[in-house]
Amino acid sequence: MYQCLAPSSVISWAKCCIPVCLLDTGMLFPRESSSREVKELNGRWDFRADKSPNRNQGFEKAWYKSRLAETGPVIDMPVPASYNDITQDPTLRDFIGWVWYEREVVVPARWIADEGTRVVLRVGSAHYYSVVWVNGVKVTEHNGGHLPFEAEIGSLIRKDPTQPCRITIAVNNTLTLDTLPPGNIQHMDDHTKYPDGFFVQNIYFDFFNYAGIHRSVLLYTTPKAYVDDITVVTDFLDNTGLVYYKVSVQGAATATLKATLMDKNGRCVASSSEPSGVLKVVDVNLWWPYLMHENPAYLYSMEVRLMATDSRSTYEDVYTLPVGIRTVNVTSTQFLINNKPFYFHGVNKHEDSDIRGKGFDWPLIVKDFNLLKWLGANSFRTSHYPYAEEILQMCDRHGIVVIDECPGVGIKDIRSFGNSSLTHHLAVMDELVRRDKNHASVVMWSVANEPAAEMTLIKHTKALDPSRPVTFITDSNYARDRGAPYVDVICVNSYFSWYHDPGHLEVIPIQLKTQFENWYGKYQKPIIQSEYGADAVAGFHSDPPVMFSEEYQKAVLQSYHNVLDQKRKQYVIGELIWNFADFMTVQGITRVVGNKKGIFTRERQPKAAAFILKERYWRLANETGRLPVWTKYPCSF
Ligand code: BDP
């Protein structure tokens, strides 16, 4: 049991603990190669919200059977994007129920003609429940936003090659007590107060329940015999890097395989012909976090080449996976990356922006990475759900360390603590680990934010991926700390002088110190201040500082930093500000067009607090790490 380890013991996750995949198939990110093609289906789709009273007309009238425009009026809808903020229609902004998306695709004739080609339809994510049809035939359904799903559609489009390929996706954002996050629908039947059929969706999390197709939809091909999954876990011994790997193959009874690891210059540094094993890299370049090393985020490429033959033909499949070689260890007082203490100085984020909502957007992502680097942030937590895979790829490329969180947020209603909720939560963890297990940047799993029943989840996640530590996020006054004995790192959210003792900055030094001492005293595990902050409406000023002014937000941060500076010399291993940027929430009396705890506005302009944090993070980086060569003058950004 981890909690019994002596304070100096190191819990090591490297070695050759290959994550186990409980799901039938892999979920490799679709990449082009000499054997694989990718066709993005992003852009304008036809769209229709089912506004019928029971929201079920689409199914009753089988809207998937013909062109959507033939069923009734359709509007233009961009993919990827949340649909909520795209139109001027208030009923669509707050719509609950099924919406229907449709577009026709021209499939390359070659893909259809070649029976040895698999054609896969993949949705990066859609919120929340999705059903997918191709030419009126259901091909898949998926429960949950934030994670990808796919279906093989080759045989279907080959049935009648003269027909265009019509893709229909119905998406429902209704949350139930068993969804992640949970929610529930409340009907108001008092006609003296509410119009006919009035209902609301109650949620217990603090972000807008944006809905629609949030990430790319695409078609990709693989040969009939193909690389279905790759798992890597890395380690090193002195100067030798070790890449433990496992390849799983589908569509062939027997196959030959070659795994080649290449350095940045495309030079082969190790290879093997076994489906699993270890690749040894002499004079290894380790993957280091940003600001911890002058040459951070070194990535090798692992090319897996598969050859298989059946009675008809020979298939060759090639898939190349970026691989960062690093280790993660935890002691009772430290978080070690490559055996060196790592201090998280970072942020909590949201996938959230004007107009797009939670829709994937490259300009926003690149801007956010520029801001993270400007700030001197070395890490973030994917509060409160898995982010797009492209974001994790950026983290791998830039050395930004990630605490990867599942959508277990707002689990407050006692009715959400039953077996069906738990079963779904475990399944979501399976999908998350399957998708993100190979990212060097992902150093820890977070099974939930401020949950109530976390024990089983933590144990399950540890069994799924023994190569990484596991945590859940708790709050400072949390009496229900039953999960704490099982986590590897304690993550605490607290809002002293905001939700507790509002306006009283003077309580922070005492309450924060007590918080740390209580948690450490009880569990002797390293602690991350996983959330802290205060709302500030950009442009509101006040001296002396009062709540909601930029000065108050600054003062809260400074008071927290004083305590963090004492405790980081002992067992506090990180601080993540809440939040990177202002974000949209449900309407309510505590929110002024969203949550304003961002140090940047929603438009990504800095508030005064951003400069405080920037100065601090660069100072921490100078104390604890090594700046990359190009950041000779960090403060002149
Ligand atoms: C925290 C929650 C986060 C909220 C934040 C707040 O984890 O989702 O947005 O409070 O209220 O407890 O700003």
Side-chain angles (χ1 to χ4, degrees), residues 565-582:
D565 276 339
Q566 294 160 31
K567 296 297 176 189
R568 77 187 162 86
K569 306 212 164 70
Q570 302 170 23
Y571 47 77
V572 170
I573 57 160
E575 52 190 88
L576 305 175
I577 186 78
W578 190 263
N579 190 282
F580 174 73
D582 292 347

Side-chain angles (χ1 to χ4, degrees), residues 206 350 381 384 409 449-450 493 495 499 531 535 578 583 591 595 597:
D206 184 35
H350 262 298
R381 162 180 160 227
H384 289 306
V409 55
N449 182 66
E450 300 171 2
N493 299 344
Y495 290 91
Y499 293 121
E531 284 183 30
D535 288 74
W578 190 263
F583 58 91
R591 297 286 176 255
N595 186 310
K597 294 195 186 69

